[in-house]
Amino acid sequence: MPDVSVGSQIFDIAFHPTHCTAYAALLSGKVKAITYDHQGRNKESFSVSVSQRSCRGISVNGDGSNIYVVGKGKALHTIDTATGKHAQTRAKAHEVPINRVRHLTSWLLSTGDDDGVIKLWDPRQKESIRKYTHHFDYITDFLWLDDKKQLVATSGDGTLSVMDVRSKNIKPIAQSEDQEDELLSIVGIKGSTKFVVGTQIGVLSIFNRSSGWGDCVDRIPGHPHSVDTLCTLPESFTDVDATSTILTGSSDGFVRAVQIFPTKLLGVVADHGEWPVERVAIGDANDFLDLEEEEEEEITPVAKKRENDDGKSPDARWWVGSVGHDETLKLTSLRGFFDGENGGDDEEEGEGEGESEGDGPMSGEEDEEEETDNRADNEAKPSDPEDDDDDDDSDSDSPAIPTKRKRKTEKNPLMAVKRKKGRNEVEVEGRFFDDL
């Protein structure tokens, strides 16, 4: 779990589609490229100053040849990833600072500013090709639906909108009702038939494509703070159901892995301490770059076995990049997390979190029966101090015979119960998913 210090707060990150390189947009107005290898070792590839003001958004095109950068300077910058130099600058692309940029196709990209204005750009042309003004607050995120050639945008005005880029109409084809909360992020799940939207109050709003975009069809509470960023898992990732599992970045500093339908907290992928999580992205390390100045580390037998199975080192296949306000790019092995190397339990604590927390359909009834038996035994004989500690590790001041209500709360599989930390493991706040 290497941490890469970049010397300035990071607003946005993006990964090269084929190379082991992450690009960071910084508060200082610079863009830095970080090259890493399959063991997480890293070095700075290039650093280029694109503006005297902060860079807020960054996006990489399909083949990774160019990166697009926007920020407070109101310009749209294009950087050649091969040389690390400016390829083009569109000054005054917007009238106000630009908050988000997204590469859509080889002939199209989108930008959104602080006033809610969305512009479409052809990289081959100097001026924008279309402008949308139906939002009145800042644009927070974009989602591209390739099958319908539609662009979905979320805004701080509490609505999301859908634009058909093939149409010359400057009005959206659909816009949701006011959700009475800032919509901060959006991703598609279940093959883009459903969409998860992160909100300011910490609720995940679910939109169903077949039901239209007028209103959400479900709301999933649980995050104690705002959900500022969302990220889907790669389709080829087989350790979990990638179509219904997402990563959430919250202002409480945690990057969580959450399964949707059924809703389940899988664990904490990364911990930024007291700093809010700004962005989360996943990089695919298709090629393995050996950093010459570093000595190659020995691969364990377990890693070798998985490398033979996958054809790749497990830690090199997928890296989760997350950034907060701590001037650090945190890289976490996605495969390592789900294998228990970064976020899982120790062997002595059980095979997995679901098993140890009792998330089977009958786990609640089994817990009640076991508790009833224990209570009968306690009433029949004097209590032993060691037995009292085993009954309730979370509160040493509680009575020897815990109440049924408290016992059931601790066994709730959707809660992240505080327990002994495993190797390289972070603690999860106990309030998570309390309201479900």
Side-chain angles (χ1 to χ4, degrees), residues 84-232:
K85 297 181 180 180
H86 273 98
Q88 188 179 32
T89 297
R90 295 174 175 86
K92 297 182 180 180
H94 284 247
E95 297 179 359
V96 298
I98 309 173
N99 192 55
R100 190 65 60 214
V101 60
R102 174 70 183 268
H103 175 266
L104 307 178
T105 67
S106 60
W107 47 270
L108 193 66
L109 64 142
S110 62
T111 55
D113 65 25
D114 284 353
D115 283 348
V117 174
I118 299 171
K119 288 188 177 183
L120 299 181
W121 303 83
D122 186 333
R124 300 164 296 184
Q125 300 182 21
K126 184 69 176 179
E127 301 297 327
S128 64
I129 60 177
R130 201 160 300 129
K131 178 181 177 180
Y132 302 91
T133 59
H134 52 276
H135 288 292
F136 61 84
D137 206 345
Y138 69 112
I139 302 301
T140 58
D141 205 1
F142 287 122
L143 176 67
W144 174 244
L145 304 178
D146 190 62
D147 57 342
K148 296 292 185 179
K149 298 297 184 289
Q150 295 174 350
L151 176 66
V152 184
T154 55
S155 172
D157 63 12
T159 67
L160 62 81
S161 61
V162 184
M163 293 144 283
D164 189 339
V165 301
R166 298 169 297 185
S167 172
K168 295 183 179 180
N169 193 344
I170 60 174
K171 293 184 179 180
I173 62 174
Q175 187 169 8
S176 73
E177 300 176 0
D178 187 359
Q179 302 297 299
E180 300 181 353
D181 191 17
E182 295 184 12
L183 307 185
L184 304 179
S185 50
I186 182 172
V187 292
I189 60 173
K190 297 291 186 181
S192 292
T193 60
K194 300 180 186 296
F195 303 91
V196 183
V197 177
T199 66
Q200 181 67 35
I201 61 175
V203 172
L204 297 178
S205 298
I206 309 299
F207 284 79
N208 193 327
R209 197 170 185 177
S210 61
S211 301
W213 297 94
D215 199 1
C216 63
V217 297
D218 200 0
R219 291 165 61 86
I220 303 175
H223 287 79
H225 298 282
S226 62
V227 182
D228 299 332
T229 179
L230 296 171
C231 180
T232 57

Side-chain angles (χ1 to χ4, degrees), residues 238-283:
T238 59
D239 287 20
V240 294
D241 183 6
T243 63
S244 64
T245 302
I246 61 174
L247 303 182
T248 67
S250 177
S251 58
D252 65 356
F254 286 133
V255 177
R256 297 175 171 90
V258 179
Q259 178 180 309
I260 309 294
F261 304 129
T263 303
K264 179 182 178 183
L265 171 65
L266 302 181
V268 170
V269 179
D271 181 7
H272 286 263
E274 61 182 3
W275 304 107
V277 179
E278 284 283 347
R279 301 295 288 178
V280 176
I282 295 180

Side-chain angles (χ1 to χ4, degrees), residues 30-84:
K30 294 182 178 180
V31 172
K32 288 191 176 183
I34 308 299
T35 302
Y36 55 90
D37 69 358
H38 60 283
Q39 295 174 351
R41 299 171 300 182
N42 57 81
K43 67 176 182 179
E44 184 178 304
S45 178
F46 66 78
S47 176
V48 55
S49 179
V50 299
S51 175
Q52 296 297 321
R53 298 187 174 184
S54 61
C55 296
R56 297 182 178 179
I58 191 169
S59 183
V60 185
N61 66 351
D63 58 7
S65 60
N66 292 319
I67 53 179
Y68 303 102
V69 184
V70 296
K72 194 173 182 180
K74 309 174 187 178
L76 172 60
H77 305 276
T78 305
I79 299 176
D80 189 327
T81 58
T83 62

Side-chain angles (χ1 to χ4, degrees), residues 305-375:
K305 181 180 184 301
R306 287 202 301 264
E307 183 174 7
N308 293 333
D309 294 339
D310 300 342
K312 296 179 182 290
S313 171
D315 290 334
R317 183 54 179 160
W318 304 108
W319 284 99
V320 178
S322 57
V323 297
H325 293 181
D326 49 357
E327 303 182 358
T328 298
L329 168 62
K330 187 180 290 292
L331 294 174
T332 308
S333 168
L334 183 65
R335 180 68 177 273
F337 165 76
F338 283 104
D339 283 351
E341 296 177 3
N342 288 314
D345 301 336
D346 286 344
E347 294 180 0
E348 71 223 24
E349 297 184 49
E351 293 293 330
E353 182 178 348
E355 180 180 345
S356 62
E357 299 299 328
D359 57 354
M362 300 299 292
S363 59
E365 298 178 4
E366 294 173 356
D367 293 339
E368 294 180 11
E369 294 176 0
E370 180 181 355
E371 183 181 2
T372 303
D373 295 339
N374 292 337
R375 180 174 298 186

